[in-house]
Structure formats: structure tokens, C-alpha cells
Amino acid sequence: MSDTTQSTSLVAQVFSYAGLALAYFNALPLAQRVSIVVLAPFVYHIGWQLLYSLRRDHTPLVFSWIPWVGSAIPYGTQPYVFFEECNKKYGDIFSFLLLGKIMTVYLGPKGHEFIFNAKLAEVSAEAAYTHLTTPVFGKGVIYDVPNSRLMDQKKFVKGALTKEAFKTYVPLFVEEITKYLKTSPNFKVNEHNSGKINVMVTQPEMTIFTAARTLLGKEMRDKLDTDFAYLYNDLDRGFTPINFVFPNIPSATNRRRDHAQKTISGAYLSLIKKRRANNDIQDRDLIDELMKHSTYKDGTKMTDQEIANLLIGVLMGGQHTSAATSAWTLLHLSERPDVQKELYDEQVRVLDNFNRELSYEALEEMPLLNQTIKEVLRLHHPLHSLFRKVIKDMQVPNTPYVVPKGNHVLVSPGYTHLQEKYFPDPHTMNIHRWDNDAASSYSVGEEVDYGFGAISKGVSSPYLPFGGGRHRCIGEHYAYAQLLTIFSVFIRHFTFRFEKPGQTVPISDFTSMVTLPTGPAYIIWEKRIPGEQL
């Protein structure tokens, strides 16, 4: 018998058995048929997990009862608790089902190395994130381009993130912070000696105002004093967990997101065209920088629309993490008057009893303030999980495991930050754990250039607040300059406390894409010198 005849016979038998099964099913009482339909997905889900776990080259799989959803609830609400429980049961390497995707987790410094330094042929950040970021940022930028072009785009942006640029940004930061403190209904410090603020309102506003002034210029910053500012909120709400899986659900939130993206990028595009028409391209801001330097290595130039979209990506990418870190820092300071005193004494010393102007050089002379930001970033990594999609089977070194193509790999530096073996008493804020430049013990000297400048190649450190590898955040030094300036101004003029004695820093809310304090998060500010005018 020929192969073709055998195949035809086999197909016929399959259809015959299927027909008999369907006939039997239709003959059953309605209640039994409903029960089978309801239970079938659960039976399939349990069977699939058992078959998956039989493969010795597969990592341990966290058992779950609910098809497709998998471990979404425990992971989505308390990821670090979930990781800790899985770590105790399975070790540093395990997999779990998350909304139809198999996530392979590798915890600890070895996991950092395995995922952050994975080869381009093995993993793709673009495939993992583009469906979430492209509707917010726009086409042709960040994760909507091949990795080589993303590396070029990071290089274009890095021209506005130099030390010389930071020296010009600090006075602008101070100007914006002072303006906000004087005019915002949340403060109005020239009219009041104290007040109550929700840090989840004030810090995102202060962050976007200072970022817009330094990176986008005065004209775009002034637009934020109008209803234009609300568009950024609509854009921001596009970063929701559900959009990680279903980015184009026709919801009111997504419609506002799309309208905001079109309106904001249109405003940027209009300014770009205006500067080109007037031949008015100088060295004022990131817009000028991108208009002058945005040609890819292959000679292709970014379009003006793509430049406008990249501006959204830069501003929004840093907005989340800096605003969250700023809010967490205020909350921790409110709990720790002893740290506030240390920081104030440092301000008095470095700024010569405030006879010296605040500058970038002065910020570099404030080790305790730097260590405070460093410690808050350790306690509250802005992103509890970072992903890559596996595009080629990956052998896990020194294990029998192979991560199959199609899985996602997940790394969590934030989990490592809170481990006792790396950071004693890890849940306590201790800015002095960084004394004597302790950070140097967590850095690796060898460097590599992925196309946007040399960075540390080693990512096996237990402390990685800005990620690692080719996707390491290029805004690290900008974020420090911004946050240090904000808190230098705060510490000099105000003290902070909670409303009630004994109140502590709120727990983390992990339900958004960024690790935020559970809101509302209120604190009391008081002037150090009653009646002082800023």
C-alpha cells in the first residue's frame, strides 16, 4: 500500500471516530453536554501541564487550575511573593502560564546574565513589547523597529544626555520646581507654611514639567500649563497590563490613548516643521538634537513624524520611573526624620550655608543625597519584571533545561534587590549601606558598545536598577540629575512627615506596569523657615 493510500485511510478513520464521538455527545442529556463543554478546557489544561512537565529538558512548571489565565492573579498582585514561593519550591529557574504565554523565570544574578546578555538571535525585546508600546509612542520608533535601528535611536537621544547638557539642565530644573511650588494648588508655598499633598499627584506633575522644560524646550513646556497636559495622562493610561495582551481593545481608555498620541505627536511635528521652515535649528533641546542627528548607519534618515514619535517615547519612558522613584523617596523621608536631618546638614555644608548656587557640580558633592536615591531604587525597582521573547531555543548554562522558542523569559532585578544574602536587612531603608562608594562592589569593569556608547558588559550584579545589556536605560544619569535637584530643593526648604504618628510607608501596588505606592499617599510638608518666600 502506498504512503498516500495509508494517509487517506488514516484520515478517514479519524473522521469516522470523530463522527461517532459527536453522535454520542449529541445523544447525551443537555446537562451532561453542558458539563463536558465547561470541564473540557480544564481537563485539557491539566493534561497539557502534565505533558509539559514530563520533558526533562523543560524547566519546572508552576501548576495552575485556570486555563489561559494560569498564574496571572498571584503574579499580577504580589509578584515578589509569588517569585519567593516558587523559588522555595523549584529553585531559581521555573516557568508559569500568564494569559496564554509561558514565562520562564530565572532569578538572581545568574538570571540577569542569562537574559540581559542573551544573543540577538535568541531573544527579542521588540517582539515582547511592541504591541504595548507602539500604540503609545507611535510607529517607527523604540520597539517598532529592528534592534539595530533602536540602538541608533538611543545614540541619537544620548546626544542630549551628556554631562555638559546636565550642567545646563540643573538651573532649568530649579526654575521649574520653584515655579511649581509657588503656583501649584498642591503647594502654593508663598501663601502657606504647611500643607498636605498626595505624592502620586505632585511627583508625576513635577517630573513631566521638569523633563519637558529641559528635553523639549520652553515652547512645549508652556503647553503643559493648558489642557494639553491632560493628554499626557490619557497617553499614560495606555500602559495597562491588559494592553500587554490586547492592545487594541475598543475601550474608552484606548480611544483616548490614540487621540492623545495623534494630538501630541502632531504638536511636536508642527514645531519641527516650523523650525525647519525658519532654519531655526540650534542646540536648545532634544528636538534640535534629533533634527540635526537622526540618520541611521545605512544612510536612511528618520522622518519628522518618527522624530515626533521618538520624543514621546523618550518623555514617557522616563516619566514613569522617575515619578515613581520621586514619590517613594518622599514617603521614605516622611518616615525617617533622622535621614532628613542628615541630608539637610549635607545641603548646608555643600552649599556653604546656601551662599552657593545649586549646580550639577554641587550635586556631585552630595554623597548622602545620591545614596538616598540609590537606596530607594533598591527598595522599589520601578519595573518588577522585564521580558524578552524567545525566538530560538535557549540552553540554560550548567542545567539540563532548554527554553523553547515561543516562550518568554522573565528577569526580576527588583526581587534580587530584596534578598538578604545580597543586602542585609533588605526591607529597611539604610542609605549608609552605600558608604565608601559601596556601589563599586556591584559593578563590572569590562565594557561593550551596542551602538549607543560604551556600557558595562557585566550584568551579574545583584543591583541593576536601570536594567542591563543592550536595553539598559540610557537615561540613568539624567534621572539622577533630575531627582537630585528636586530633593535638594525639597530638603533645603521643607520637612516632611505622615499625617498620623506611627504611620509607615504604604505597600506597593503592582497592578500597573510600574511599581507604585498604594494610593492615595498623603504626607504633610512644613516650611523650615515659616514665612520664607521662594
Side-chain angles (χ1 to χ4, degrees):
M1 185 182 293
S2 68
D3 290 344
T4 302
T5 304
Q6 286 182 330
S7 297
T8 303
S9 175
L10 181 61
V11 170
Q13 290 181 41
V14 169
F15 273 101
S16 175
Y17 287 133
L20 290 172
L22 182 61
Y24 176 77
F25 176 80
N26 288 333
L28 292 172
L30 178 61
Q32 291 185 21
R33 280 184 283 162
V34 170
S35 297
I36 290 173
V37 169
V38 171
L39 291 175
F42 291 88
V43 174
Y44 172 83
H45 178 62
I46 293 170
W48 167 80
Q49 291 178 91
L50 293 173
L51 289 174
Y52 185 94
S53 300
L54 288 176
R55 291 273 303 261
R56 296 187 66 181
D57 60 343
H58 280 174
T59 61
L61 182 68
V62 179
F63 181 81
S64 61
W65 288 104
I66 307 176
W68 190 77
V69 174
S71 301
I73 295 174
Y75 165 73
T77 54
Q78 291 291 334
Y80 294 152
V81 173
F82 175 73
F83 292 153
E84 183 65 18
E85 291 175 350
C86 292
N87 180 248
K88 289 177 180 177
K89 188 171 183 179
Y90 306 109
D92 289 337
I93 311 171
F94 54 89
S95 297
F96 69 96
L97 183 67
L98 175 67
L99 304 180
K101 304 177 189 297
I102 303 176
M103 316 298 293
T104 297
V105 182
Y106 196 162
L107 299 173
K110 290 183 180 179
H112 301 171
E113 184 73 35
F114 177 66
I115 295 173
F116 285 137
N117 276 348
K119 297 176 182 177
L120 271 179
E122 296 175 328
V123 300
S124 170
E126 292 77 17
Y129 289 118
T130 185
H131 46 291
L132 175 70
T133 59
T134 300
V136 176
F137 300 153
K139 295 283 188 180
V141 300
I142 316 295
Y143 294 123
D144 191 50
V145 293
N147 185 264
S148 60
R149 292 213 163 175
L150 173 57
M151 296 302 104
D152 282 346
Q153 289 176 5
K154 293 174 78 168
K155 185 176 181 179
F156 302 155
V157 172
K158 206 168 181 180
L161 302 176
T162 64
K163 188 171 182 177
E164 292 305 310
F166 299 152
K167 291 178 180 179
T168 67
Y169 293 165
V170 169
L172 298 177
F173 287 148
V174 172
E175 179 184 320
E176 283 297 327
I177 295 163
T178 303
K179 176 183 176 183
Y180 185 80
L181 292 172
K182 290 163 65 174
T183 61
S184 168
N186 296 298
F187 283 97
K188 291 197 172 181
V189 297
N190 285 351
E191 300 176 21
H192 307 286
N193 287 322
S194 65
K196 183 172 80 169
I197 57 170
N198 179 358
V199 299
M200 293 310 301
V201 172
T202 60
Q203 299 321 110
E205 289 180 351
M206 194 173 291
T207 302
I208 200 166
F209 290 157
T210 50
R213 179 66 182 88
T214 51
L215 297 177
L216 304 182
K218 190 175 187 305
E219 186 173 345
M220 292 309 303
R221 162 62 186 93
D222 288 344
K223 281 183 174 289
L224 296 179
D225 288 331
T226 68
D227 289 341
F228 195 79
Y230 291 102
L231 293 172
Y232 283 93
N233 292 331
D234 290 339
L235 203 57
D236 190 52
R237 292 189 182 100
F239 287 117
T240 60
I242 191 63
N243 280 349
F244 191 76
V245 183
F246 302 115
N248 296 311
I249 290 177
S251 63
T253 296
N254 284 351
R255 284 193 292 271
R256 287 193 295 268
R257 173 201 65 190
D258 296 341
H259 169 72
Q261 201 287 329
K262 184 176 181 180
T263 305
I264 294 173
S265 68
Y268 293 164
L269 185 61
S270 177
L271 179 57
I272 291 168
K273 291 184 180 298
K274 176 183 174 183
R275 290 187 183 182
R276 287 202 191 281
N278 296 333
N279 196 25
D280 182 24
I281 305 173
Q282 303 176 33
D283 295 301
R284 289 163 295 197
D285 46 44
L286 180 58
I287 298 176
D288 281 342
E289 181 69 25
L290 292 176
M291 291 176 72
K292 291 189 297 181
H293 305 292
S294 54
T295 302
Y296 295 113
K297 289 187 180 72
D298 64 5
T300 304
K301 293 184 177 181
M302 291 186 74
T303 67
D304 286 349
Q305 181 63 64
E306 289 169 346
I307 291 175
N309 291 345
L310 184 56
L311 290 168
I312 292 178
V314 171
L315 194 69
M316 299 302 295
Q319 155 72 6
H320 289 84
T321 53
S322 292
T325 302
S326 181
W328 281 118
T329 303
L330 270 179
L331 291 167
H332 278 283
L333 290 177
S334 297
E335 187 181 49
R336 296 289 299 275
D338 57 321
V339 175
Q340 291 186 57
K341 183 180 186 307
E342 284 191 83
L343 296 181
Y344 181 75
D345 290 344
E346 180 177 68
Q347 295 291 309
V348 172
R349 176 179 57 78
V350 173
L351 298 179
D352 189 22
N353 284 313
F354 309 130
N355 292 313
R356 177 186 178 187
E357 288 289 328
L358 183 63
S359 63
Y360 184 73
E361 292 82 358
L363 293 174
E364 292 185 307
E365 297 172 28
M366 299 175 181
L368 293 181
L369 187 56
N370 277 270
Q371 288 169 215
T372 300
I373 302 301
K374 192 185 303 286
E375 178 69 348
V376 171
L377 283 167
R378 184 193 67 79
L379 286 163
H380 306 283
H381 194 293
L383 302 169
H384 63 73
S385 302
L386 298 166
F387 311 101
R388 304 286 185 266
K389 186 170 184 178
V390 180
I391 56 178
K392 178 184 177 183
D393 289 357
M394 297 176 69
Q395 175 70 50
V396 182
N398 304 313
T399 77
Y401 303 135
V402 175
V403 184
K405 175 183 176 181
N407 277 25
H408 285 69
V409 284
L410 183 157
V411 64
S412 179
Y415 171 83
T416 310
H417 287 184
L418 298 173
Q419 298 308 297
E420 179 81 30
K421 62 182 174 180
Y422 303 116
F423 302 99
D425 197 9
H427 296 281
T428 297
M429 181 183 182
N430 176 12
I431 67 173
H432 292 291
R433 73 171 76 241
W434 304 105
D435 285 351
N436 304 315
D437 195 25
S440 62
S441 64
Y442 297 120
S443 63
V444 180
E446 187 180 356
E447 293 188 330
V448 62
D449 188 346
Y450 293 106
F452 57 88
I455 62 170
S456 173
K457 182 179 181 180
V459 291
S460 57
S461 164
Y463 183 72
L464 293 176
F466 292 92
R470 65 180 58 251
H471 292 285
R472 181 188 176 101
C473 176
I474 62 171
E476 174 180 356
H477 298 297
Y478 177 88
Y480 261 93
Q482 182 186 40
L483 290 166
L484 291 170
T485 305
I486 289 172
F487 283 94
S488 177
V489 174
F490 274 172
I491 291 295
R492 275 182 283 146
H493 295 289
F494 310 106
T495 60
F496 302 96
R497 61 177 174 83
F498 286 121
E499 290 184 88
K500 301 174 183 177
Q503 191 174 344
T504 59
V505 175
I507 62 173
S508 298
D509 177 3
F510 294 107
T511 56
S512 72
M513 299 301 291
V514 177
T515 306
L516 301 171
T518 300
Y522 289 106
I523 63 171
I524 303 297
W525 61 268
E526 295 178 337
K527 283 184 182 177
R528 289 186 180 274
I529 304 174
E532 179 189 31
Q533 298 291 293
L534 265 63

